[in-house]
Amino acid sequence: LGGIIFNSGASAYDIGFGHGRTLNFYGSGIANNSGVTQTFTAEPFRDSIPQIVFHNSATAGDGTLFSVDAPSALMGLLFLDSSSAGSSTINLTGGADVFGTKASFNNTSTAATAGLNVNGAATSGAQGAFLTFFDTATADHATIAAHGGAVSGGSGGVVAFAASGSPTAGAA
């Protein structure tokens, strides 16, 4: 998909998908000119994990909310190449069974000025969400909050800057 444009005056939408599908943005990404928050919800279905992937210079946009529930060893949200989270809000769900949602910024991608919530596990023994910055990806001016587990014995959310390349926290 090249991109999605929400024109001025557009209604608020919640675009939900799952069933193991992947939503790929290769062009400009998301442009929200509507003046209201547009929501993208990715949820698993019968152990099939959805993914949202931004490629090239695609952006997650401004005034957008991403709710990603992809409890798996696979990444549920990926920013590749020089893509950007823009000023979106991203909520990564902690695990209710074993795994929490995983997301990553790779190559030269940036979290820009996004707000990222890396939530802890919802049940005892489960993992919290996991956010990783690889290569030379940067957190830039994003606000990142890693939350503790919601219950005793549940792991908290984790943010990691991997050793490959020189990922930076920027002014986050």
Side-chain angles (χ1 to χ4, degrees):
L1 180 63
I4 296 175
I5 300 172
F6 296 96
N7 291 325
S8 178
S11 298
Y13 289 93
D14 185 343
I15 299 172
F17 68 99
H19 302 283
R21 293 188 170 90
T22 300
L23 178 59
N24 287 292
F25 290 98
Y26 288 96
S28 59
I30 301 167
N32 182 11
N33 304 317
S34 69
V36 295
T37 301
Q38 303 298 340
T39 303
F40 293 79
T41 305
E43 296 178 332
F45 178 76
R46 295 186 184 163
D47 297 327
S48 293
I49 304 302
Q51 289 184 311
I52 301 173
V53 185
F54 291 89
H55 300 267
N56 304 325
S57 59
T59 180
D62 304 322
T64 53
L65 169 65
F66 292 85
S67 179
V68 185
D69 182 6
S72 167
L74 301 172
M75 294 290 173
L77 178 65
L78 292 97
F79 289 87
L80 305 173
D81 308 314
S82 61
S83 61
S84 171
S87 63
S88 64
T89 299
I90 298 171
N91 294 322
L92 304 174
T93 304
D97 187 8
V98 176
F99 295 109
T101 297
K102 292 174 180 56
S104 67
F105 287 84
N106 304 273
N107 311 112
T108 60
S109 63
T110 178
T113 59
L116 294 104
N117 293 299
V118 186
N119 293 300
T123 59
S124 182
Q127 298 174 354
F130 201 93
L131 174 64
T132 307
F133 290 84
F134 291 106
D135 306 315
T136 57
T138 179
D140 198 11
H141 288 82
T143 300
I144 302 172
H147 301 281
V151 297
S152 178
S155 297
V158 175
V159 178
F161 291 87
S164 173
S166 299
T168 64

